[in-house]
Structure formats: C-alpha cells, structure tokens
C-alpha cells in the first residue's frame, strides 16, 4: 500500500498524489458544511449564527491539531524515503504517544474554557448558549480528531493518499445522515449537529487505525518499537509544533475578525459564516497541494534527491497559480448562487 515518490515526473507525481487529498479535504470540510447548511435550513438564522460564531475558535484549535499531525508525518516520510524502516516504526510509535498526551491536554483545557472563550469574543447573548453547546461537544471529540489525522498523515507519508479519502467519503455520508436524523425528527438543534460530527469522527478514526495496523507491512511493530525515544520525540516536536502554530497563527486573524463581527449581531454572524464556508471550500486544493509537497519533499529529501525537491516546488507553485486564477474567476460569477445554499 506504500508508494515511492522519488521517481517519475515531479508535476505528474504531485498532481496524482494531490487529487485524493483534494477530495479528502473537501469531504472533511463537509463535516462542518453539512452542519451549517442543515442547521441554517431547518433551525433558522439564530442557530446558524450559533454554529458560525464558533468557526474561528474551532479552526484555531483543530487547525493546530491537523498541523501537528502533518508535521509529525514529515520525519516519517523522510525515513521511508531513506528506507530506514526500523527508525520509521520508532517514530510512528512515539508520534502516537505524543498525540495521546496532546489530546488529553487539549480536550480538558478547551472543554473547560469553552464559555469563557465565547464570552471573550463578545458572542451575542441570543446565540452564546447554542455556540457553547456546539463547540464544547466538538472539542470533546479532539482525541478522535488526533487519531484520524495522525493515521491519515502516516498513510500519506508512506505514499498512500487514496485510502484516507475512502474513509472520509464513508464518514461524511454518515455525518450528513446523522445531521438530518438528529436535527429534523429528533429536533436536537445545534447539539444534534455536534453529536453527528463527533460520531462520524469516531468511526473515521477507528476504522482508519484498524486499516493502517493490518495493511501496512512496514508498520508491523515489535515490542522494542514502542519504547520512548527522546531523540525521536525531539525530532517530531521540532517539526510538528511549528506546523501546528503556523495554522493557529493564521487562525488568530480569523478570531479577531469573528470578534468584530460578533459585535454586529447574529444576522451578520450568519452572513459571514456562509461566506467563510465558501472560502474554506475554495482554498482546499491549495492546502492539499501543500500537504502533498510535504510528503513529496520528505521522501525525496530522505533519498538525497534535492534536484527533485526543487523541481517539485516549481511544479506545485504552477499548479497553485493556475487554480487560484481559475477559482477567483468562477467565484466572481457564481457568488450569489453559492450563498443561496445556506
């Protein structure tokens, strides 16, 4: 199930590796998008604003988780490119220990601080209770967000970008079905939307972990592989923490903007929510190419192929430039139609 990215045309390799990532990230976006559309359609503007008011805080925390997991995968990709499978397994095991510790700390702290965070952002009084319920339950699922994203990042580091997509298609469909079930007949409102997302993430994380442990022979662990390694943890954290902070620092601007919008009332929050979800969907391909480049560069660096790393960077920049121009053109002429979905 592994794939070597150190041979072949860099442009073709990056494109083919990126396409499943694009589709996978789109389906991951559907977790939040389905909540937003279904809540807006069946629960009204106030409920939509409750979900939307949590968007920036949600991205601030969960973006950090995703960034850390993608960072942890870079040394794994380098070791795979260097064919050092023993050290690769040691890094995978230590990445798991770090994810477990991080998930415990983040879950307890974020759930405990949910209402203070919403109050600090001046969330309107008529939607703050719904916002606290929604984001509190989303944060309760952080361990499984860690689980899925770490497993998916390891698969990509080993050259498999398709399998995470299959799990996301399945769980995204489940998320939408549970949204409709909890919100319409059960009338659970924003709580139903949050629980639907949590259940979907649990299934995605557990199934992908079972698949990883059974199908990737290179990861057949020995007892010695699970031992704590200070060197491995330092290497993992040295890349994972900066990548996590990169996502969080980007999200700080969104938090500040959300604070300013909250002052304008729940209707403005709902409007910005719809626009923000659209922007998130359109930027997915760019983020996916960046993720693909992390794996591509990692494997080629491990194989000491710096010429291919440079070629890959140029190819990725060309892909992003073409897509950026095309997406701006499409959005300019379809903005009203897209907003009407909400």
């Amino acid at each position: 199930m592994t794939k070597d990215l150190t041979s072949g045309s860099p442009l073709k390799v990056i494109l083919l590796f990126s396409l499943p990532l694009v589709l996978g990230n789109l389906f991951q976006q559907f977790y939040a998008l389905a909540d937003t559309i279904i809540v807006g359609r069946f629960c009204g503007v106030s409920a939509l604003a409750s979900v939307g008011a949590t968007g920036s805080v949600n991205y601030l925390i969960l973006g950090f988780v995703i960034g850390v997991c993608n960072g942890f995968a870079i040394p794994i990709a380098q070791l795979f490119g260097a064919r050092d499978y023993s050290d690769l397994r040691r890094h995978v095991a230590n990445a798991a220990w770090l994810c477990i510790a991080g998930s415990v700390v983040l879950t307890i702290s974020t759930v405990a601080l949910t209402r203070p965070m919403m109050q600090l952002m001046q969330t309107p009084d008529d939607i703050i209770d719904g916002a606290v319920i929604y984001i509190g339950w989303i944060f309760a699922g952080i361990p499984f967000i860690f689980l899925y994203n770490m497993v998916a990042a390891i698969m990509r580091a080993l050259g498999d970008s398709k399998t995470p997509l299959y799990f996301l298609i399945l769980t995204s469909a489940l998320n939408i079905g549970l949204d409709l079930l909890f919100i319409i007949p059960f009338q659970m409102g924003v709580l139903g939307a949050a629980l639907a997302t949590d259940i979907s993430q649990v299934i995605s994380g557990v199934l992908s972990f079972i698949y990883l442990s059974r199908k990737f022979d290179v990861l057949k662990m020995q007892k010695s592989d699970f031992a704590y390694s200070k060197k491995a943890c330092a290497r993992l954290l040295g890349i994972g923490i900066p990548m996590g902070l990169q996502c969080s620092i980007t999200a700080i601007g969104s938090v500040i903007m959300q604070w300013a919008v909250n002052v304008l009332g729940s209707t403005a929050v709902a409007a910005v929510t719809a626009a923000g979800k659209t922007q998130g969907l359109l930027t997915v391909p760019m983020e996916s190419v960046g993720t693909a480049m992390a794996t591509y560069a990692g494997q080629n660096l491990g194989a000491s192929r710096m010429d291919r790393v440079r070629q890959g960077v140029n190819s990725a920049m060309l892909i992003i430039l073409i897509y950026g121009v095309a997406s701006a053109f499409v959005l300019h002429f379809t903005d009203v139609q897209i907003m009407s979905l909400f």
Side-chain angles (χ1 to χ4, degrees), residues 268-291:
V269 173
V272 172
T273 297
K277 297 299 181 184
T278 303
Q279 180 190 16
L281 284 174
L282 288 174
T283 57
V284 158
M286 297 183 181
E287 296 169 355
S288 300
V289 171
T291 301

Side-chain angles (χ1 to χ4, degrees), residues 154-332:
I154 292 170
M155 289 181 184
R156 290 192 293 267
L158 301 180
D160 183 2
S161 61
K162 294 181 180 178
T163 301
L165 167 63
Y166 302 147
F167 287 117
L168 278 174
I169 292 174
L170 171 65
T171 52
S172 295
L174 177 62
N175 183 50
I176 293 172
L178 291 174
D179 268 330
L180 294 171
L181 176 67
F182 291 160
I183 291 175
I184 301 175
F186 290 177
Q187 297 184 350
M188 296 174 66
V190 295
L191 173 60
L195 290 178
T197 299
D198 283 342
I199 293 171
S200 300
Q201 288 170 341
V202 169
I203 293 174
S204 178
V206 171
L207 289 181
S208 60
F209 176 76
I210 292 172
Y211 184 90
L212 180 74
S213 61
R214 291 183 177 179
K215 297 296 183 179
F216 287 78
D217 292 336
V218 72
L219 295 178
K220 297 298 182 183
M221 298 286 191
Q222 305 296 323
K223 185 176 181 180
S224 58
D225 295 326
F226 290 99
Y228 167 76
S229 170
K230 182 178 180 180
K231 181 180 179 180
C233 286
R235 185 177 181 185
L236 290 164
L237 291 172
I239 299 177
I241 295 298
M243 286 194 70
L245 290 176
Q246 176 182 323
C247 294
S248 294
I249 290 172
T250 303
I252 289 174
S254 298
V255 171
I256 294 172
M257 186 185 75
Q258 187 71 61
W259 171 80
V261 171
N262 286 346
V263 177
L264 302 178
S266 56
T267 302
V269 173
V272 172
T273 297
K277 297 299 181 184
T278 303
Q279 180 190 16
L281 284 174
L282 288 174
T283 57
V284 158
M286 297 183 181
E287 296 169 355
S288 300
V289 171
T291 301
M293 271 303 299
T295 300
Y296 172 88
Q299 286 197 15
N300 282 280
L301 181 62
S304 300
R305 293 293 309 275
M306 285 302 298
D307 57 322
R308 286 183 58 80
V309 174
R310 286 189 289 269
Q311 293 170 6
V313 170
N314 292 334
S315 298
M317 292 298 293
L318 178 62
I319 294 169
I320 289 175
L321 176 63
I322 294 173
Y323 172 78
V325 173
S327 61
F329 181 81
V330 170
L331 181 60
H332 179 73

